[in-house]
Amino acid sequence: EVIFEDPIESMENDWVFFASDSSLQGVTIDKGNGDLALQISNQVPNNPSIFGYWVKAIDQPDIEVRSQLILKSKVKLDTLSGRGISLVLRGDNFQNEESAFFVSTQNTLSITGTTSNYNSYKLDLLDYFPEGVDRLFIFLTYLGNTTGTATFDDIVIERHYRK
């Protein structure tokens, strides 16, 4: 069951870009025919301190405890080398002022190279969705020591039920 879907349909979207350095650029691009996508690029090689991400917050997510979540994104890569990109889900608990969970494709899935088309990548969230999550964050992360361009589109979270 799809519980979140963002095909990036407007230049005025609620994704926020953060970069540790001005050489890293995050823009919403028009792929043609009004089809939009989120892009991150960097051309400064071998710098571990240059990283960035697109982030979207989902307040008070209506997700049953023990649900299994899968984050999916279509990604196009243009000469992306180094450590690459990562898909991330984080759930925060405001009462405890801490992160209830953090899961990432970093160190488990290498996303680098060049692709002529958009390929689908996914991140499986835990064995269960924990109690007390007040805000869910999606991060489309550009890791340090990376150069090239990554373009993200059609971001989806699916819910599966655990027995």
Side-chain angles (χ1 to χ4, degrees), residues 22-36:
S22 62
S23 64
L24 191 64
Q25 301 296 311
V27 295
T28 303
I29 64 159
D30 187 338
K31 301 185 323 183
N33 299 326
D35 189 13
L36 305 178

Side-chain angles (χ1 to χ4, degrees), residues 45-157:
N46 303 320
N47 191 331
S49 65
I50 297 177
F51 69 95
Y53 52 81
W54 283 102
V55 61
K56 182 174 185 108
I58 302 169
D59 288 326
Q60 303 298 322
D62 184 23
I63 300 170
E64 286 183 31
V65 172
R66 297 190 54 77
S67 294
Q68 179 187 19
L69 302 184
I70 299 173
L71 170 63
K72 295 180 178 181
S73 178
K74 291 184 180 172
V75 183
K76 185 175 182 181
L77 308 173
D78 184 6
T79 59
L80 194 73
S81 63
R83 291 179 60 212
I85 60 168
S86 178
L87 305 178
V88 176
L89 278 175
R90 186 181 89 197
D92 286 0
N93 180 305
F94 297 142
Q95 185 174 357
N96 296 338
E97 296 181 3
E98 63 185 28
S99 179
F101 69 87
F102 179 93
V103 64
S104 165
T105 59
Q106 185 176 346
N107 300 324
T108 61
L109 177 63
S110 176
I111 306 175
T112 59
T114 297
T115 57
S116 58
N117 296 308
Y118 283 82
N119 292 328
S120 292
Y121 293 93
K122 71 177 186 170
L123 169 66
D124 294 326
L125 170 65
L126 310 171
D127 287 329
Y128 65 92
F129 188 79
E131 290 184 14
V133 174
D134 301 308
R135 182 175 288 157
L136 184 64
F137 291 94
I138 302 169
F139 292 91
L140 309 173
T141 307
Y142 193 97
L143 304 170
N145 277 337
T146 300
T147 56
T149 302
T151 306
F152 303 88
D153 198 7
D154 298 333
I155 297 105
V156 172
I157 298 177

